[in-house]
């Protein structure tokens, strides 16, 4: 056998074996590829299903988010509509007030024109009467024309003076009544709140006035933001509401966070603090005066007077002083000390709510005390301390006297003794400068000027003119709190003796 044949056979067999191995590996690789393709297809299907599920979840979440956003937008739109509605109503109310004021001014103008026309008619009538009587006198009495004119002028002048004085008295009475009514309608008290800078005014007003509307609605007080540098004004009749508003606004300014929610929280917190202060002040007043057994509401109203002033005098301190004075005087004259002291403490209780009710504070206080089962003697003294009902007890006189002493003493109402005496001297000096004045007295702590005139030099018509001129001089030349009443008294006495 040839030696080369064996290696050839071995080589062929090796090639065959290698080919078989290759085919086997190729088949295994093809199988693995098929398995991988199947697994890849399965993964793709699973991924597609997962993507579809996630897409549905995202779509659902987007719908929910859109729904929430829509509800939020609708809520904001509703809030804006409500605020616009409130703003519209406020504007309508202001327009109504302006229209009423305009109508009232037109009526006043018409009344003035009517009065002018009436005066012109009276003047024309006087001239016609003068001419007619002049002719008649010349015909009947044979008087000269200058003599008749002089007599008729005196007569017509007297008639016109009487009519004019009567018209002046009616006009002054109506003006006083109108002034009292307007004084109750116009906001009488105001508090100024300082600001760190004028930039704070914009934050107080808020976007489209949202903050200032929320503040006024929560407090019941008008917030006036004007050109006053670094300050705003709180205006309202109720001193307690005004104090609540002042405390709340001060807190908001110092905190810096001003929005409707924060405003409500600050106002509520300030209201609670004020209520606590009123309770403590009322209890302290009863303890200081030794008055016990008061109804809790009376104690609260007493504490409310700590925020009320009269001519600069704190009403609660004034009430405590009246209680002490009335009790001391009652002890000296043998009257009922407990009744006098109790009535003195409660005599101005009506001032705690007189801006909410019609009527004088004395009669309002009487109703409050009676509804809280106070003794009838106390109720009567409260009602009678300004002589609005007849006095029927010694204690009522004592409370009235104590009230006058507390209010009239120098220094009680933000006035030093020197300025007090100077004001009294100034009033009497003005009165004495008029012709026909006999005596004059400045009384009621300078709140009234009482003038006695000589009856032979000043008649009744002249007395009214004198009072008016004195009031004008006082108003133009002097400075004083509140108002001063000028009373001119003309008295004629006839005295005879029987022997």
């Amino acid at each position: 056998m040839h030696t080369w044949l064996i290696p050839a056979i071995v080589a062929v067999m090796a090639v065959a074996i290698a080919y078989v191995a290759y085919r086997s590996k190729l088949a295994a690789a093809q199988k693995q590829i098929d398995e991988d393709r199947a697994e890849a297809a399965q993964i793709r299907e699973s991924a597609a299903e997962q993507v579809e599920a996630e897409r549905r979840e995202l779509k659902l979440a987007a719908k929910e988010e859109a729904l929430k956003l829509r509800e939020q937008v609708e809520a904001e739109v509703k809030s804006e509509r409500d605020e616009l509605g409130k703003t519209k109503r406020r504007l309508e109310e202001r327009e109504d007030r302006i229209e009423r004021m305009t109508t009232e001014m037109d009526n006043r103008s018409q009344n003035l024109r009517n009065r002018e026309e009436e005066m012109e008619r009276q003047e024309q009538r006087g001239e016609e009467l003068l001419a007619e009587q002049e002719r008649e006198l010349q015909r009947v009495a044979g008087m000269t024309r200058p003599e008749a004119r002089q007599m008729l002028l005196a007569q017509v002048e007297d008639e016109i003076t009487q009519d004019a004085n009567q018209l002046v008295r009616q006009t002054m009475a109506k003006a006083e009544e109108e002034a009292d009514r307007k004084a109750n309608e116009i906001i009488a008290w105001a508090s100024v709140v300082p600001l760190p800078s004028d930039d704070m005014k914009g934050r107080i007003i808020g976007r489209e006035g949202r903050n200032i509307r929320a503040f006024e609605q929560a407090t019941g007080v008008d917030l006036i933001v004007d050109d006053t540098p670094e300050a705003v004004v709180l205006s309202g009749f109720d001193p307690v509401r005004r104090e609540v508003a002042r405390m709340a606004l001060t807190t908001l300014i110092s905190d810096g966070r001003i929005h409707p929610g924060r405003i409500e929280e600050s106002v509520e917190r300030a209201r609670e603090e004020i209520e606590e202060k009123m309770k403590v002040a009322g209890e302290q007043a009863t303890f200081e005066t030794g008055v016990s057994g008061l109804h809790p509401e009376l104690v609260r109203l007493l504490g409310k007077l700590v925020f009320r002033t009269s001519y600069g005098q704190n009403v609660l301190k004034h009430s405590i002083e009246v209680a002490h004075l009335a009790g001391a005087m009652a002890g000296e004259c043998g009257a009922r000390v407990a009744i006098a002291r109790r009535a003195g403490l409660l005599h101005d209780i009506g001032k705690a709510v007189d801006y909410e009710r019609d009527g004088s504070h004395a009669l309002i206080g009487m109703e409050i005390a009676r509804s809280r089962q106070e003794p009838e003697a106390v109720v009567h003294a409260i009602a009678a301390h300004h002589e609005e009902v007849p006095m029927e007890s010694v204690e009522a006189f004592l409370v009235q006297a104590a009230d006058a002493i507390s209010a009239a003493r120098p220094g009680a109402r933000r006035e030093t003794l020197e300025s007090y005496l100077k004001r009294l001297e100034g009033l009497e000096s003005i009165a004495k400068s008029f012709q026909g004045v006999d005596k004059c007295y400045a009384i009621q702590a300078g709140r009234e000027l009482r003038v006695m005139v000589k009856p032979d030099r000043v008649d009744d018509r002249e007395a009214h003119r004198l009072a008016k001129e004195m009031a004008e001089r006082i108003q133009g030349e002097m400075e004083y709190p509140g108002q001063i009443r000028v009373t001119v008294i003309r008295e004629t006495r006839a005295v005879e003796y029987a022997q």
Side-chain angles (χ1 to χ4, degrees):
M1 190 171 203
H2 297 290
T3 57
W4 58 271
L5 185 60
I6 295 171
I9 293 170
V10 172
V12 171
M13 290 178 67
V15 171
I17 292 170
Y19 177 75
V20 171
Y22 168 75
R23 294 295 297 178
S24 176
K25 288 183 179 180
L26 184 62
Q30 185 64 38
K31 183 180 180 182
Q32 184 65 36
I33 290 172
D34 293 339
E35 291 176 356
D36 291 342
R37 287 178 178 174
E39 184 178 359
Q42 186 178 1
I43 290 174
R44 283 197 300 272
E45 291 177 1
S46 176
E49 292 176 357
Q50 185 176 359
V51 169
E52 181 64 23
E54 291 178 355
R55 186 181 66 79
R56 288 196 299 269
E57 290 178 359
L58 290 174
K59 185 176 181 180
L60 182 60
K63 288 182 178 180
E64 292 178 354
E65 185 67 23
L67 183 60
K68 290 180 180 179
L69 183 60
R70 179 179 179 182
E71 292 176 352
Q72 182 179 356
V73 170
E74 289 178 351
E76 291 180 357
V77 170
K78 184 177 182 300
S79 176
E80 292 291 338
R81 287 177 180 172
D82 293 340
E83 290 181 0
L84 288 174
K86 292 178 182 178
T87 303
K88 182 179 180 181
R89 286 193 295 272
R90 288 166 62 89
L91 291 174
E92 291 175 351
E93 291 175 357
R94 292 183 180 180
E95 289 177 357
D96 292 339
R97 287 199 297 271
I98 293 173
E99 185 175 354
R100 288 196 299 270
M101 292 175 65
T102 303
T103 304
E104 186 175 349
M105 293 299 295
D106 292 341
N107 293 336
R108 289 186 180 181
S109 300
Q110 184 62 38
N111 290 336
L112 288 175
R113 286 194 294 270
N114 294 339
R115 290 176 185 174
E116 291 176 356
E117 293 174 358
E118 181 65 23
M119 293 295 293
E120 291 178 357
R121 286 196 295 269
Q122 289 184 2
E123 184 178 356
Q124 183 178 0
R125 177 174 171 275
E127 293 177 355
E128 294 174 355
L129 181 62
L130 177 64
E132 181 180 352
Q133 290 187 357
E134 182 179 354
R135 290 192 299 269
E136 183 66 18
L137 284 174
Q138 286 179 354
R139 185 182 66 81
V140 175
M143 296 176 64
T144 63
R145 183 180 183 87
E147 292 174 347
R149 175 179 292 276
Q150 185 67 26
M151 186 184 72
L152 288 175
L153 281 175
Q155 182 178 355
V156 171
E157 181 181 2
D158 185 64
E159 292 180 358
I160 292 177
T161 301
Q162 293 180 3
D163 293 341
N165 287 333
Q166 183 178 3
L167 181 61
V168 167
R169 288 195 298 271
Q170 293 174 352
T171 304
M172 290 180 64
K174 185 175 181 181
E176 291 177 357
E177 180 181 355
E178 184 71 12
D180 291 339
R181 185 178 67 84
K182 285 296 183 184
N184 292 327
E185 294 178 357
I186 299 173
I187 296 176
W189 297 290
S191 299
V192 178
V193 178
L195 302 178
S197 65
D198 282 338
D199 295 338
M200 184 62 69
K201 292 182 179 180
R203 299 176 63 184
I204 291 174
I205 296 173
R207 184 165 59 90
E208 298 179 356
R210 178 179 301 179
N211 292 343
I212 191 172
R213 287 196 302 272
F215 185 85
E216 291 180 344
Q217 184 177 1
T219 60
V221 173
D222 290 335
L223 177 55
I224 302 173
V225 182
D226 53 17
D227 296 333
T228 305
E230 297 184 355
V232 293
V233 178
L234 297 171
S235 182
F237 277 114
D238 191 333
V240 176
R241 288 184 180 178
R242 199 168 63 250
E243 182 63 16
V244 169
R246 188 194 65 79
M247 290 181 61
L249 185 57
T250 302
T251 302
L252 290 169
I253 292 171
S254 61
D255 181 65
R257 294 175 296 171
I258 304 178
H259 54 81
R262 183 66 177 170
I263 288 172
E264 292 180 1
E265 294 176 3
S266 299
V267 170
E268 186 61 29
R269 188 180 303 110
R271 188 174 288 118
E272 292 174 356
E273 292 180 7
I274 291 297
E275 286 291 335
E276 183 63 24
K277 285 185 179 180
M278 290 192 301
K279 181 181 177 182
V280 172
E283 292 174 349
Q284 180 64 30
T286 60
F287 175 77
E288 185 175 344
T289 56
V291 176
S292 60
L294 286 180
H295 191 280
E297 180 62 18
L298 290 179
V299 176
R300 177 183 174 276
L301 292 178
L302 272 176
K304 197 173 183 179
L305 293 178
V306 77
F307 300 108
R308 178 74 184 267
T309 59
S310 179
Y311 295 96
Q313 185 180 29
N314 183 272
V315 177
L316 180 58
K317 293 182 179 179
H318 164 70
S319 299
I320 294 173
E321 194 172 70
V322 171
H324 287 306
L325 289 171
M329 290 190 292
E332 291 294 329
C333 65
R336 293 171 290 182
V337 175
I339 293 295
R341 187 184 293 118
R342 196 179 191 93
L345 181 62
L346 299 176
H347 79 285
D348 273 347
I349 198 72
K351 288 186 177 181
V353 294
D354 61 351
Y355 43 81
E356 300 173 354
R357 306 185 187 181
D358 294 332
S360 68
H361 72 273
L363 298 182
I364 294 173
M366 174 193 69
E367 296 174 0
I368 294 174
R370 180 169 290 157
S371 65
R372 299 303 186 273
Q373 289 76 47
E374 283 295 305
E376 192 59 31
V378 174
V379 173
H380 169 70
I382 293 173
H385 79 277
H386 281 313
E387 298 185 1
E388 291 175 280
V389 300
M391 292 193 179
E392 300 174 355
S393 66
V394 176
E395 292 77 16
F397 282 100
L398 295 178
V399 169
Q400 184 191 50
D403 180 39
I405 292 171
S406 174
R409 66 173 176 81
R413 296 189 168 181
R414 291 184 184 174
E415 193 170 29
T416 63
L417 177 60
E418 182 180 356
S419 62
Y420 172 78
L421 295 176
K422 185 177 180 181
R423 179 157 62 91
L424 299 187
E425 292 174 356
L427 290 173
E428 295 179 355
S429 176
I430 289 176
K432 291 177 181 177
S433 66
F434 286 85
Q435 296 293 328
V437 174
D438 185 17
K439 299 176 182 179
C440 59
Y441 306 95
I443 61 176
Q444 293 291 331
R447 286 182 288 158
E448 181 177 355
L449 179 62
R450 193 161 293 180
V451 182
M452 311 290 291
V453 297
K454 300 176 181 179
D456 57 337
R457 298 183 60 181
V458 179
D459 57 16
D460 290 339
R461 295 191 300 272
E462 184 69 12
H464 288 283
R465 185 191 62 80
L466 198 63
K468 185 175 183 298
E469 292 182 359
M470 287 183 183
E472 291 175 349
R473 280 274 305 276
I474 293 170
Q475 185 174 350
E477 298 178 10
M478 297 187 64
E479 294 182 359
Y480 49 89
Q483 63 181 8
I484 297 176
R485 178 179 180 181
V486 179
T487 303
V488 175
I489 301 174
R490 177 180 180 270
E491 182 181 27
T492 302
R493 297 185 181 183
V495 181
E496 293 290 343
Y497 295 94
Q499 303 294 334

